[in-house]
Amino acid sequence: MKKKMDESRFKEMLKESINSQWDKFEYYRTVCKKKNRSIHDLLRAIDNEEYYQIPAVTATAFKKSTGLFNELNDFSQAGKFQVSSSTSGDPSYIFTNPTELDKVADNYRLTFGIDGVSQAIGFSPSVRILDELSKKAAFMGYQSVARMKLALDGAKMHYSELTFTLDVDIIRTLLSKVVNGKVALKKKHLGEIIDIISTAERDHQKINFGGFVLLFNPYLEQLKDAQFSFADNAFFTFSGGGYSGAKGSMRGEKIDKPGMIRKIASVFGLNKKLFSTNLKDLYGFTESPAINEGYWSEEIEDFLFESWHESRVYIVDPETEDPLKNGEGLLKFITPYTNGNPSAANVSVLQLDNATIRGIRPDLIVTHFSHIKRMQNASVEGCAYKAEEIANA
Amino acid sequence: MKTQIEFHDPLFTSSLTDEKNGLNITYPLADEKNIKEVASQLRLNSEKYFSTHSIDEIQKISDTVDSSFDDLTKPENVELIDLIQASCGFSRYDIEHWGLGLFKSIANYDPEIRGYYIDKAIKGSGIIQTRFGYLKRFGLVNPFNRWKEPALLSHFISGNVVGYTAILSKLGLPVKKKGTAQILKLPSTASLFPLIYLNKLETIDKGLRQTIACGYWKGGDDLIERQIIEESDVINILSSDLVIKDLLNRIKRYHKGITALQHGHKIGIAYISGEFINDNDRLEQTLNGLVSDISAFDGGACYNVKNIYVQGDPRRFAMMLFTKLELFEKMVSPVSSNARSAGTSLYQIYRGSNNVISSDAKNVFVRVKENPEFWQPDDLFRYVQVMRVNDENEVYGLIRQHKQYLQTAIIAVPDEKIIPLLILLGRAGVSNIHYPGSAPLINVYEEPHDGEFDAVRVRYNYSARFAATNFKTNNDWMI
């Protein structure tokens, strides 16, 4: 169960984190200076609960290609780099202290875990694969951990029976290591998946289907309509996006969300009434510990996300970064460190994802949002910018 | 009330009207139903026109069109610049100097020696002294390839740089034997210059105008593009690497074996040697020139400098450059906000970094990097990276792996190093080696475009590459 954080406790933790971030990172002080904010302004904003006044560091500043590691991370404390899945080919590296790493894993436990459900199928690479990927991602003499690995750690804390669909094929890997040194992977056969599901159905056992839609959907497509009848015993917890057809090194077909939801309902016998309780997507990103839960809404034909309870979320104008009252803008997350001691300048982060405001408080804090999509910059087309296409054609 | 502007094409007779920055502009539109007929009519028009007009006659007509943009104080040109500025948002300075200014050098080039240096470079292997610089061929000429006049040349153009988008129509004019019919894709509403240029041509010679069809279609529309590919003998592509790849795939399917010229995304570089860093007067002139090379068309053109390699302290250089860039943007070449896309930029990523000097208006961005690299910025604009290098050989090592992105290099080096740098950078893949302040000024009669002499290449696959300088000594540009 997520525990609601008292506002005064939130303020206290945020003040400690912001003070510490200000002291440690010249980069952050410069960002604030350019916005004409002193540390006193930031603390006053916290007192007045006007958190939007706290300038943010753009999430993409943590990308490997920017070379800003020394300016954005504090290596004076113990920690590891959290590494993103690198869909763009340019992963983010965020140095994270042990307390915060545990916190991220626990956040995943809370959001992947469904009360009263102990069995799950993870449509994801296994812990073994992610351990290997984490090892390979070591950087600047520091260990790294894939953010995805923290998600699995969280899931493992909750589920006593957890099966992954993608694992290392040990025999083929041993053979191929001799030939080309490559790791061979194996996917669970559809039959194995059907066996697990059928057993759960027969035993009236609750089961959660979690992980990446890109790995889940190919199985779903092969299942027949009305193949199972779970009523309210089946849960779905997707994570990591990938609806565009790409996630990390995984590639697949673009996924039509409403179409996928209809197919799930049809295959598993899920009543429409259960969509808003049993069908969930998680939205998070490596630059922030926040993990936002979104339940399917038939009305908006998308997942309706509730802002992470330990963050203050705003949707802001891309140019001015001012908070918006309605419509679409960039997501800004303000999340204090659990121990008040940031290991990276990510207490206030501007994520370059567009989202639509669905619920907002009078103080401009966004409570619900939907329709998340990656922001696109002007593209480069040969000589000069890609000029706008003619509208009426 | 919105200003109404109407453009028509003799062959693409469909049209559409689009609103752009307070202008209502009517454009010719390619229609999938009659592409084949248009191509056929173009070939007939072309056959008739080029068999009855000599190369000299056509050259004179072309020079007359180009010369019409010489006097920018003429009321019709003032009106024209206003119109271009309203549609594309770039500064008057850029439109006048780097857009229309281009035609002056073409029209004024000695007619007697046009083609002479290009011919010499294809045939010879040494360094050729041209009128304004040096030219060198890289690679061997395939002796089995023969000159072949295409019947239809089609241009697939993206981008909105004034001048360059229209100059392409010259590729169809006769070089040795006869001219060719042409189809030009109009990129967008922000890029109406090709139509302005062709309108001017129409007032001077209707017959020549009728050898060219210019209109808009949505890039990637296979119903139209398939027919154009099937009808064409040569395709000239100026676009993103993605579009080039897509078109090449379709050319392979629909008309295998035809010539396809590829001009993809480019990233400019500059190399400033110690002699120009340590001498204040030389440094001042170098910086003044670089400011134009970085700022022309808001940093969005293929020739703009993005990587600056200096044989000296990069931070000091960057600080001085930034001051001049910011001033230049404010005083000389401001860009209308509608020319810039909304959204995030490198400014937002680096705004807190002590290795970046950026303006509050987010238009200018100079990053300092001690460890040099070949930087491929995600955004264009006036964003540059200044890096310390030991010498030009280090520059060569950094850029040679990125051949596909190389085109323009600005150099500030002692006289005796100009030719060695032509050889070194040319070997890496650079094609246009210019003095500071001249990045946008391509001289089509003695300089290649991305290593190619397009007007020849559409007719003859010489299978080599070329590089040229646009100066012989530093006295050519330094005061």
Side-chain angles (χ1 to χ4, degrees):
Chain A
M1 269 292 272
K2 290 188 283 188
K3 280 188 204 147
K4 178 124 180 76
M5 194 191 287
D6 176 59
E7 197 68 24
S8 60
R9 174 74 186 128
F10 178 82
K11 283 183 189 175
E12 199 183 302
M13 285 173 70
L14 184 58
K15 272 189 180 177
E16 204 181 343
S17 293
I18 281 291
N19 251 323
S20 177
Q21 178 164 301
W22 177 277
D23 288 343
K24 284 180 187 182
F25 302 105
E26 189 188 346
Y27 180 103
Y28 190 63
R29 292 196 295 275
T30 308
V31 169
C32 292
K33 201 174 137 196
K34 288 192 171 174
K35 293 258 173 197
N36 291 322
R37 306 270 205 287
S38 67
I39 183 64
H40 303 296
D41 294 329
L42 305 190
L43 298 177
R44 198 175 312 120
I46 297 171
D47 280 334
N48 297 338
E49 297 176 19
E50 292 170 343
Y51 310 112
Y52 59 84
Q53 301 222 26
I54 300 171
V57 170
T58 307
T60 42
F62 290 94
K63 294 272 177 202
K64 193 175 185 183
S65 64
T66 65
L68 292 170
F69 320 105
N70 288 317
E71 296 185 67
L72 291 172
N73 297 295
D74 167 25
F75 300 112
S76 69
Q77 51 184 309
K80 286 180 185 177
F81 274 116
Q82 272 189 84
V83 190
S84 67
S85 61
S86 182
T87 305
S88 63
D90 185 12
S92 289
Y93 275 77
I94 296 97
F95 197 68
T96 314
N97 62 44
T99 320
E100 202 63 11
L101 285 172
D102 291 345
K103 178 75 180 115
V104 174
D106 198 54
N107 291 351
Y108 276 113
R109 178 187 64 80
L110 283 171
T111 47
F112 267 126
I114 312 282
D115 287 343
V117 184
S118 59
Q119 186 182 12
I121 302 178
F123 291 84
S124 83
S126 66
V127 174
R128 188 171 12 211
I129 294 173
L130 291 170
D131 273 339
E132 274 305 308
L133 287 176
S134 298
K135 255 188 225 166
K136 276 188 187 166
F139 184 52
M140 293 175 77
Y142 295 96
Q143 288 183 352
S144 292
V145 58
R147 172 73 170 226
M148 224 187 280
K149 164 75 170 50
L150 297 175
L152 296 199
D153 288 346
K156 272 173 62 191
M157 284 181 220
H158 181 89
Y159 294 101
S160 53
E161 288 176 70
L162 180 57
T163 309
F164 296 107
T165 58
L166 191 63
D167 204 350
V168 176
D169 186 328
I170 295 172
I171 295 171
R172 278 179 52 219
T173 298
L174 286 172
L175 289 171
S176 71
K177 279 215 167 173
V178 180
V179 184
N180 56 21
K182 286 186 179 167
V183 174
L185 299 179
K186 63 173 178 192
K187 275 185 197 165
K188 280 228 176 302
H189 294 298
L190 179 66
E192 294 174 82
I193 300 289
I194 291 174
D195 282 349
I196 298 169
I197 303 172
S198 302
T199 308
E201 184 192 28
R202 188 197 62 209
D203 298 346
H204 301 290
Q205 201 181 2
K206 290 183 176 175
I207 184 167
N208 186 20
F209 300 86
F212 297 110
V213 286
L214 270 180
L215 292 180
F216 169 77
N217 210 42
Y219 289 109
L220 179 70
E221 292 293 322
Q222 295 176 73
L223 296 174
K224 294 185 199 98
D225 290 342
Q227 188 162 349
F228 306 104
S229 177
F230 270 93
D232 58 353
N233 276 349
F235 297 84
F236 299 82
T237 311
F238 303 117
S239 173
Y243 294 95
S244 64
K247 177 69 190 172
S249 57
M250 290 181 268
R251 293 292 179 271
E253 293 287 311
K254 191 178 171 192
I255 293 167
D256 164 47
K257 282 189 213 175
M260 185 186 78
I261 299 298
R262 279 195 298 273
K263 178 78 181 172
I264 288 173
S266 163
V267 168
F268 294 93
L270 206 66
N271 190 296
K272 256 189 184 180
K273 283 181 196 158
L274 296 169
F275 287 5
S276 61
T277 53
N278 289 32
L279 279 169
K280 181 163 73 166
D281 196 16
L282 304 180
Y283 171 69
F285 49 95
T286 316
E287 295 82 359
S288 166
I291 297 151
N292 307 271
E293 291 175 289
Y295 288 94
W296 184 256
S297 161
E298 278 290 274
E299 194 189 334
I300 60 170
E301 290 213 310
D302 198 3
F303 293 98
L304 177 62
F305 289 93
E306 184 182 0
S307 300
W308 180 240
H309 64 298
E310 291 168 341
S311 299
R312 297 297 173 262
V313 178
Y314 297 94
I315 288 186
V316 303
D317 180 279
E319 286 291 304
T320 62
E321 294 177 33
D322 289 338
L324 300 174
K325 287 179 182 161
N326 50 46
E328 189 184 299
L330 295 182
L331 282 158
K332 178 173 170 175
F333 279 78
I334 298 166
T335 320
Y337 269 65
T338 313
N339 66 356
N341 184 16
S343 42
N346 63 337
V347 174
S348 177
V349 176
L350 180 72
Q351 171 64 328
L352 303 189
D353 283 341
N354 267 311
T356 304
I357 297 173
R358 294 287 170 188
I360 189 163
R361 294 182 353 192
D363 58 3
L364 304 176
I365 289 173
V366 171
T367 58
H368 292 85
F369 56 91
S370 70
H371 293 89
I372 301 158
K373 53 183 188 255
R374 179 74 29 184
M375 182 170 176
Q376 299 286 334
N377 274 347
S379 62
V380 180
E381 295 255 326
C383 203
Y385 310 116
K386 179 184 179 185
E388 240 173 86
E389 295 275 2
I390 291 173
N392 301 326
Chain B
M1 177 132 166
K2 290 195 173 81
T3 310
Q4 307 286 330
I5 314 280
E6 289 194 17
F7 291 107
H8 296 286
D9 185 82
L11 291 120
F12 285 144
T13 50
S14 301
S15 67
L16 66 101
T17 302
D18 199 57
E19 192 274 331
K20 177 88 185 172
N21 305 333
L23 304 172
N24 255 342
I25 310 174
T26 301
Y27 292 86
L29 187 67
D31 183 349
E32 71 200 46
K33 293 188 199 85
N34 67 359
I35 297 286
K36 300 257 176 191
E37 289 87 73
V38 167
S40 170
Q41 187 61 51
L42 273 173
R43 281 191 290 260
L44 284 174
N45 294 352
S46 158
E47 187 58 44
K48 188 176 159 193
Y49 184 87
F50 292 118
S51 59
T52 53
H53 292 76
S54 71
I55 293 180
D56 286 349
E57 267 179 281
I58 296 167
Q59 202 163 69
K60 275 180 195 144
I61 292 161
S62 181
D63 285 348
T64 311
V65 178
D66 293 344
S67 306
S68 68
F69 302 112
D70 269 4
D71 183 0
L72 300 179
T73 60
K74 272 200 315 201
E76 62 172 280
N77 281 337
V78 171
E79 205 178 311
L80 182 68
I81 292 163
D82 285 343
L83 175 64
I84 297 171
Q85 194 184 15
S87 76
C88 72
F90 291 125
S91 70
R92 290 188 75 88
Y93 180 87
D94 287 349
I95 296 163
E96 289 174 1
H97 283 76
W98 314 130
L100 303 181
L102 204 59
F103 295 100
K104 201 171 186 172
S105 68
I106 297 172
N108 294 339
Y109 200 89
D110 183 354
E112 297 299 314
I113 52 169
R114 290 179 190 182
Y116 170 75
Y117 298 119
I118 298 172
D119 211 35
K120 206 173 163 187
I122 293 171
K123 287 177 182 155
S125 61
I127 289 170
I128 294 156
Q129 195 167 160
T130 59
R131 197 171 148 196
F132 296 106
Y134 300 103
L135 172 61
K136 176 165 171 49
R137 191 187 82 203
F138 292 85
L140 298 172
V141 169
N142 185 336
F144 300 106
N145 288 341
R146 292 280 170 263
W147 189 276
K148 193 179 162 195
E149 294 289 349
L152 178 63
L153 158 65
S154 296
H155 306 271
F156 288 74
I157 322 163
S158 300
N160 51 0
V161 167
V162 183
Y164 274 67
T165 43
I167 243 178
L168 300 174
S169 62
K170 287 177 179 295
L171 300 187
L173 303 185
V175 175
K176 280 188 179 171
K177 296 175 186 170
K178 59 177 196 168
T180 172
Q182 299 181 83
I183 292 178
L184 261 107
K185 181 189 184 312
L186 188 69
S188 77
T189 43
S191 182
L192 47 79
F193 189 71
L195 288 167
I196 293 172
Y197 186 83
L198 293 175
N199 266 11
K200 180 60 76 178
L201 171 63
E202 191 162 17
T203 62
I204 294 162
D205 192 320
K206 249 189 178 146
L208 185 54
R209 172 67 181 91
Q210 282 173 345
T211 67
I212 304 167
C214 178
Y216 176 78
W217 67 84
K218 197 167 174 57
D221 182 342
D222 197 52
L223 289 175
I224 291 175
E225 292 183 348
R226 178 180 183 149
Q227 296 183 68
I228 293 176
I229 292 167
E230 285 171 348
E231 291 293 319
S232 303
D233 307 294
V234 180
I235 305 278
N236 180 31
I237 316 166
L238 281 93
S239 198
S240 65
D241 298 334
L242 210 65
V243 170
I244 291 178
K245 197 176 159 194
D246 168 53
L247 276 167
L248 290 180
N249 276 335
R250 285 188 286 148
I251 289 168
K252 212 169 158 185
R253 287 210 307 273
Y254 304 148
H255 204 165
K256 202 174 174 179
I258 61 169
T259 302
L261 272 70
Q262 303 159 44
H263 298 288
H265 179 49
K266 301 291 173 219
I267 298 168
I269 68 155
Y271 171 60
I272 319 299
S273 75
E275 293 83 349
F276 283 72
I277 300 279
N278 302 323
D279 178 312
N280 284 342
D281 184 42
R282 283 176 159 193
L283 177 60
E284 180 79 9
Q285 292 193 55
T286 303
L287 287 166
N288 288 342
L290 272 178
V291 165
S292 291
D293 301 330
I294 294 162
S295 307
F297 293 107
D298 205 28
C302 52
Y303 46 70
N304 290 123
V305 168
K306 303 289 175 192
N307 288 281
I308 303 177
Y309 303 104
V310 296
Q311 204 179 25
D313 177 6
R315 188 167 289 271
R316 177 174 167 260
F317 188 92
M319 300 282 280
M320 293 171 79
L321 180 64
F322 173 79
T323 309
K324 284 180 184 286
L325 277 171
E326 200 179 29
L327 197 67
F328 192 77
E329 198 270 335
K330 280 185 187 140
M331 308 300 290
V332 183
S333 72
V335 172
S336 147
S337 58
N338 58 39
R340 284 177 166 247
S341 69
T344 57
S345 63
L346 288 174
Y347 167 82
Q348 276 165 301
I349 294 171
Y350 291 99
R351 61 188 165 180
S353 174
N354 57 27
N355 291 320
V356 167
I357 314 155
S358 59
S359 65
D360 290 340
K362 306 177 191 176
N363 295 339
V364 177
F365 168 105
V366 183
R367 186 182 182 203
V368 184
K369 201 145 189 275
E370 278 292 334
N371 300 322
E373 63 180 358
F374 181 77
W375 186 50
Q376 297 172 46
D378 293 336
D379 293 333
L380 298 177
F381 310 133
R382 300 166 201 216
Y383 292 177
V384 291
Q385 183 159 296
V386 182
M387 296 157 277
R388 185 200 296 272
V389 288
N390 292 321
D391 56 22
E392 57 272 25
N393 292 314
E394 192 176 359
V395 176
Y396 171 76
L398 292 166
I399 65 172
R400 69 193 175 101
Q401 302 295 333
H402 305 278
K403 204 170 194 162
Q404 63 160 325
Y405 295 118
L406 299 179
Q407 180 205 67
T408 303
I410 300 299
I411 58 167
V413 296
D415 287 349
E416 64 275 14
K417 284 206 168 173
I418 294 171
I419 291 177
L421 266 163
L422 167 67
I423 298 166
L424 188 71
L425 298 181
R427 207 189 306 142
V430 171
S431 59
N432 304 74
I433 298 160
H434 286 198
Y435 60 81
S438 70
L441 298 176
I442 186 169
N443 196 319
V444 296
Y445 294 111
E446 48 186 70
E447 275 190 73
H449 176 215
D450 298 346
E452 303 268 19
F453 287 109
D454 290 345
V456 176
R457 181 71 166 77
V458 298
R459 297 165 169 93
Y460 170 56
N461 182 9
Y462 40 67
S463 72
R465 283 181 57 83
F466 301 86
T469 68
N470 72 341
F471 68 121
K472 290 176 187 167
T473 74
N474 288 304
N475 285 335
D476 294 344
W477 66 278
M478 295 196 82
I479 303 160

